[in-house]
Amino acid sequence: MSWEILAVSIVLIVTSLVLAAFVLMHKGRGGGLSDLFGGGVSSSMGGVSVAERNLDRLTIIVALVWLASIVGLGLMYKYGI
């Protein structure tokens, strides 16, 4: 295994864990599985807070890095880097 594949694999593992944590930190917006864990009880009084918007942005960024690492690993394995 080359060091490039090892580095991208480590990035994939780290981003997978961070992405799972970020998704779990999101506030349930009613309906679906969030109601199973008590998320349907809360009421939304106002708009989306700054912290939630920043969490959304970070989640999207981490998801894009996660996707890029998957595509990169696939290309590395296909072309034998």
Side-chain angles (χ1 to χ4, degrees), residues 6 15 21 29 34 37 40 42 46-47 53-54 62-63 65 72-74 76 81:
L6 181 64
T15 55
R29 290 192 170 79
S34 64
F37 303 109
S42 65
R53 270 187 261 135
N54 288 336
V62 171
V65 172
L73 267 178
M76 285 180 192
I81 294 177

Side-chain angles (χ1 to χ4, degrees), residues 2-59:
S2 67
W3 67 272
E4 294 96 352
I5 291 177
L6 181 64
V8 176
S9 296
I10 291 171
V11 169
L12 179 63
I13 291 169
V14 170
T15 55
S16 296
L17 294 173
V18 171
L19 187 61
F22 281 174
V23 168
L24 289 173
M25 282 194 290
H26 275 86
K27 181 179 174 185
R29 290 192 170 79
L33 289 176
S34 64
D35 286 342
L36 289 174
F37 303 109
V41 179
S42 65
S43 65
S44 58
M45 288 295 187
V48 178
S49 69
V50 175
E52 289 179 41
R53 270 187 261 135
N54 288 336
L55 183 61
D56 289 342
R57 290 179 186 136
L58 283 173
T59 305

